[in-house]
Amino acid sequence: MNVTTPCHHHPDAGCTKKGRTSATAHPLDPLSREELLSVFQIVREDSDFGYDYYFETVELCEPSKGVVRSFRQGDPIHREARANLFRKDRGGVWRLIVCLEKRKIVKSVYFASAKPMIQLEQFVAIEDAVREAPEFIAACKRRGIVDMSNVCIDPWSAGNFGVPDEEDRYIAHVFAWLRLRENENFYAHPIGGLNAVVDIKTNKVLRVDDHEIIPVPMQEFNYEAQFIEKPRDPYKPLNVVQPDGVSFRLDGHQLTWDKWEFRVGFNSREGLTLHDIRYDGRPIIYRASLVEMVVPYGTPDRGHYRKNVFDIGEYGIGKLANSLKLGCDCLGAIQYLDAHLATMNGDVVTIENAICVHEEDAGLLWKHWDFRTDRVESRRARKFVVSCICTVANYEYGIFWYLHTDGSIELELKATGIINTTACHPGKPGRYGKEVAPGVLGHIHQHIFCARLDMSVDGDRNSVVELNTYAAAEGADNPYGNAFYEEETTLQSELQACRRVNQETHRAWKIISSDRTNHVGEPTAYKLEVTHPVTPYVAAHSPSGRRSTFTSNHVWVTSYHPEERYPAGEYMNHSDGSGGVADFVKQDRPLVDQDLVLWHTFGVHHQVRPEDFPVQPCIFTGFKLMPSGFFDQNPGIDLARETNEASCHAQADR
């Protein structure tokens, strides 16, 4: 591995300044380590709570937009935290608002039917409970497996299928594999036809489902370098160097690059969040984040029909963030931000280098050769990158936000890791999957994401316009049959704005300003470029379909409400499907000249192939927000001329 000289930075989150209530510089900064410890202490010392309560999530309770916008550096900062609590001896979730300045709980609401997320700290206990269960040991023995230390268990959220012994419980549904030797890839050896259901609070195995004995595939398919017998010759070094330093500035959690400025946030549920995104001082998005993802598997096979996991709402993707490595995950001149998160037991875990920030070359931005004068002008583009990578059991998800020279904003998701495998009889994978190795089956599935974009295009008063392209009718106005045009329709209310893509009309959507026009008199706007729409195949009325109604539309638009945060509901584990964006829009609030939230559903339709194993090359999904009349001309027209002096003619390999 060839590593260039790094430019990396670890911000000091522990500096307390006079006049502030906490170790922070801005009202939107994530909770610091000290603030999290204060929340734990306040809850422990409250007479209504104490040490019998566990912490599901603790995050910043973001102040109102008015408070944020009126803040000036040096002003006192009054901080509050959201904390979700649960107990092992009672059901439900307690939602608290904790005032750090007053050191007290200022609000507490109990949700009796809610189930907390499955916590990372619970994974090992679930695995141990299953391996020690007599029924599971017996089922493994029937398959010739006697050393239970080699059995690997992945806990999955169980969904809500109306199974009597699962109702009102906090449960996990598990799948199993066999590891043949130390560090070997156990996903190559699925223990097919065997599942268990575990009560997470008691660590009791409620049920072992032994559906069918399928021979465990024993051929090894490894990915670690130590197991690769004949690695190819390495590439010659391709270094990304910035000898004069970087073109961006990181000040705490505030980033400025070129004409862009915004704040970076992070929490245990959403992971990476971006705040107050501006170009040349003009607001575009108040808050942007990935708020849900569901992975429905397309098989009715026993045990596997339950695989419909909500990785953000049922686990919290922020807790699963990687500690990124310079020269491997991040290439070039890098700066990092750490993430401080709460554990269920009231401790702070720090993920070092959880967030990577850097800039990249982005190819040609624009060029023109005037052949009459033989004069050429061209400019190269750059993009600014804010990223994190999260591991959810077998899968890795890379979350990359790009801010481009041309004024566009892009979210790119990279899915890699290892596909979820099960066993099949060799040569007989069935209709719902593909055999990726002899006896190893990967089921067809989807990764469906939802981004929440609190828009603020030149201010909070916005409207949404749908664009459709039509061919003009042949006739006097279209004598040559070549005419087509774009039609704009302003969406008046939330129910009217429940929309799906239409490739026949190249449908798109613009968020337009109600208060500013460009130099041709049109409202300034940003357009949603839907690049990866997904058609869901889970029946809407099915147990899994009822819980993922947000996937039924590619675009939803709602009038802003601070408590409408998650498209599938606030408490997803064992949920009934209520409380999400499909319920928000039933209010049918007006959308013209309003403070709007755009919800975009997109993803990957994953038709599994042998090349996805033993580790899947990155597959990509995402979307773009493009300026559409936001600028009066190409915003990159004023870039300075430059020639990259490090470029040279390639020498032949000798």
Side-chain angles (χ1 to χ4, degrees):
M1 185 182 301
N2 194 32
V3 181
T4 59
T5 303
C7 303
H8 55 282
H9 167 75
H10 298 277
D12 180 6
C15 177
T16 304
K17 296 185 179 180
K18 187 176 180 181
R20 293 181 181 145
T21 61
S22 59
T24 186
H26 190 274
L28 291 178
D29 282 351
L31 293 176
S32 68
R33 176 182 178 84
E34 290 74 17
E35 289 175 319
L36 287 167
L37 291 171
S38 292
V39 172
F40 303 149
Q41 186 177 12
I42 293 165
V43 171
R44 298 299 193 215
E45 293 176 353
D46 189 278
S47 59
D48 290 334
F49 296 100
Y51 286 87
D52 292 332
Y53 290 80
Y54 294 85
F55 295 89
E56 185 227 38
T57 52
V58 182
E59 62 178 326
L60 175 69
C61 182
E62 295 177 15
S64 69
K65 294 182 180 182
V67 167
V68 172
R69 286 170 175 156
S70 64
F71 173 77
R72 297 294 178 266
Q73 197 66 36
D75 289 352
I77 301 175
H78 306 289
R79 303 268 279 175
E80 291 184 336
R82 294 177 183 263
N84 281 343
L85 310 183
F86 66 99
R87 293 176 62 115
K88 287 189 175 181
D89 59 350
R90 285 181 61 186
V93 173
W94 288 259
R95 185 192 299 172
L96 312 182
I97 302 295
V98 180
C99 177
L100 291 167
E101 183 181 25
K102 297 178 181 178
R103 295 192 58 79
K104 64 182 293 187
I105 296 169
V106 295
K107 185 176 181 181
S108 172
V109 182
Y110 174 58
F111 296 89
S113 62
K115 307 289 190 300
M117 296 179 184
I118 298 176
Q119 304 296 308
L120 178 62
E121 304 95 304
Q122 296 168 328
F123 282 20
V124 173
I126 293 169
E127 187 168 13
D128 289 343
V130 174
R131 277 200 300 249
E132 294 168 3
E135 291 178 80
F136 196 83
I137 293 172
C140 288
K141 190 173 182 179
R142 288 193 289 272
R143 291 161 170 81
I145 302 168
V146 293
D147 186 351
M148 295 303 294
S149 67
N150 292 328
V151 175
C152 300
I153 306 294
D154 274 1
W156 284 57
S157 56
N160 190 343
F161 291 86
V163 181
D165 65 345
E166 296 177 2
E167 289 304 305
D168 299 322
R169 290 183 184 270
Y170 180 34
I171 61 173
H173 182 261
V174 308
F175 297 88
W177 293 263
L178 180 66
R179 195 192 293 276
L180 302 186
R181 55 190 170 124
E182 187 178 14
N183 298 326
E184 187 260 350
N185 176 22
F186 63 85
Y187 287 111
H189 318 295
I191 304 173
L194 181 61
N195 309 100
V197 176
V198 183
D199 185 313
I200 302 173
K201 289 191 175 182
T202 63
N203 289 328
K204 177 183 177 182
V205 175
L206 301 177
R207 191 178 71 251
V208 173
D209 297 325
D210 192 348
H211 302 292
E212 178 187 6
I213 295 178
I214 304 173
V216 177
M218 300 300 285
Q219 185 177 352
E220 291 193 21
F221 291 89
N222 290 304
Y223 56 88
E224 286 197 26
Q226 62 175 309
F227 297 117
I228 306 301
E229 293 181 2
K230 295 181 179 180
R232 72 176 73 177
D233 291 338
Y235 296 126
K236 287 183 169 58
L238 196 164
N239 297 328
V240 179
V241 296
Q242 294 180 266
D244 296 329
V246 298
S247 300
F248 64 89
R249 181 185 178 199
L250 176 61
D251 182 8
H253 285 80
Q254 177 74 16
L255 273 156
T256 54
W257 174 75
D258 193 27
K259 296 185 178 182
W260 291 100
E261 59 182 303
F262 61 100
R263 302 196 70 83
V264 180
F266 198 91
N267 63 65
S268 60
R269 181 162 179 167
E270 299 163 279
L272 193 57
T273 59
L274 303 187
H275 304 261
D276 196 17
I277 303 174
R278 294 172 177 263
Y279 187 97
D280 203 18
R282 296 168 62 186
I284 301 169
I285 303 177
Y286 181 77
R287 190 181 193 277
S289 67
L290 194 67
V291 283
E292 194 56 88
M293 61 177 291
V294 62
V295 188
Y297 283 75
T299 173
D301 291 349
R302 292 169 293 186
H304 296 283
Y305 69 88
R306 302 188 75 141
K307 293 192 297 191
N308 192 82
V309 62
F310 295 78
D311 288 330
I312 293 178
E314 292 179 322
Y315 294 99
I317 204 166
K319 287 187 176 182
L320 307 176
N322 294 189
S323 182
L324 300 174
K325 304 300 181 186
L326 189 68
C328 303
D329 300 309
C330 309
L331 191 64
I334 306 298
Q335 291 192 328
Y336 292 105
L337 287 164
D338 298 341
H340 305 290
L341 302 173
T343 71
M344 63 178 280
N345 296 310
D347 298 315
V348 178
V349 60
T350 296
I351 304 173
E352 294 184 350
N353 299 353
I355 304 167
C356 171
V357 298
H358 68 289
E359 54 191 327
E360 295 181 358
D361 179 83
L364 188 67
L365 178 64
W366 60 264
K367 178 176 181 174
H368 185 64
W369 168 46
D370 187 335
F371 67 90
R372 294 174 179 83
T373 62
D374 198 29
R375 294 175 65 82
V376 180
E377 289 280 345
S378 67
R379 303 291 185 273
R380 292 195 66 79
R382 288 193 190 184
K383 60 184 177 183
F384 189 74
V385 187
V386 185
S387 64
C388 69
I389 301 174
C390 304
T391 300
V392 187
N394 52 301
Y395 261 111
E396 265 77 19
Y397 295 100
I399 302 167
F400 295 79
W401 286 96
Y402 302 137
L403 301 179
H404 290 270
T405 309
D406 67 357
S408 61
I409 302 168
E410 181 180 7
L411 175 62
E412 181 179 68
L413 267 292
K414 300 178 183 180
T416 179
I418 303 177
I419 61 170
N420 182 259
T421 58
T422 188
C424 67
H425 297 284
K428 298 178 180 179
R431 70 187 299 191
Y432 301 109
K434 298 291 184 184
E435 200 170 6
V436 297
V440 181
L441 172 65
H443 287 128
I444 190 171
H445 61 281
Q446 298 178 317
H447 305 255
I448 307 180
F449 304 89
C450 185
R452 181 182 182 273
L453 306 169
D454 183 354
M455 301 301 296
S456 182
V457 178
D458 277 326
D460 283 344
R461 286 182 4 107
N462 291 165
S463 301
V464 59
V465 173
E466 181 171 288
L467 312 173
N468 288 282
T469 299
Y470 300 104
E474 293 186 55
D477 292 335
N478 183 20
Y480 307 107
N482 68 309
F484 54 96
Y485 61 96
E486 188 174 74
E487 183 174 273
E488 297 192 357
T489 303
T490 301
L491 303 179
Q492 300 291 323
S493 70
E494 291 175 325
L495 288 178
Q496 189 185 2
C498 301
R499 307 299 293 164
R500 293 186 59 78
V501 300
N502 183 354
Q503 188 58 37
E504 295 298 319
T505 65
H506 290 273
R507 182 171 293 163
W509 295 269
K510 290 194 303 186
I511 301 295
I512 67 172
S513 172
S514 302
D515 298 318
R516 183 164 177 166
T517 57
N518 56 31
H519 68 162
V520 293
E522 293 294 320
T524 57
Y526 261 76
K527 181 171 70 171
L528 174 65
E529 293 277 358
V530 177
T531 55
H532 291 83
V534 174
T535 299
Y537 290 93
V538 174
H541 61 275
S542 69
S544 295
R546 288 195 298 268
R547 302 178 68 230
S548 53
T549 53
F550 76 91
T551 66
S552 62
N553 288 308
H554 299 116
V555 166
W556 309 77
V557 187
T558 59
S559 181
Y560 170 77
H561 190 287
E563 294 302 315
E564 294 177 356
R565 303 194 297 159
Y566 302 114
E570 189 84 23
Y571 300 105
M572 280 308 304
N573 193 8
H574 207 71
S575 67
D576 61 6
S578 62
V581 68
D583 286 331
F584 302 160
V585 300
K586 290 176 182 177
Q587 301 169 80
D588 204 22
R589 291 166 291 195
L591 297 180
V592 177
D593 303 337
Q594 301 294 318
D595 189 355
L596 301 182
V597 177
L598 176 67
W599 310 74
H600 176 40
T601 304
F602 61 98
V604 173
H605 181 72
H606 195 171
Q607 297 156 304
V608 180
R609 49 191 191 132
E611 289 86 350
D612 293 329
F613 196 69
V615 170
Q616 173 183 302
C618 283
I619 53 178
F620 301 84
T621 185
F623 64 89
K624 239 181 184 183
L625 286 163
M626 298 284 292
S628 182
F630 189 80
F631 303 105
D632 287 342
Q633 60 178 351
N634 178 349
I637 203 71
D638 58 351
L639 287 175
R641 280 184 181 176
E642 60 179 348
T643 300
N644 182 261
E645 301 297 338
S647 297
C648 63
H649 294 287
Q651 301 297 314
D653 191 11
R654 296 170 187 259

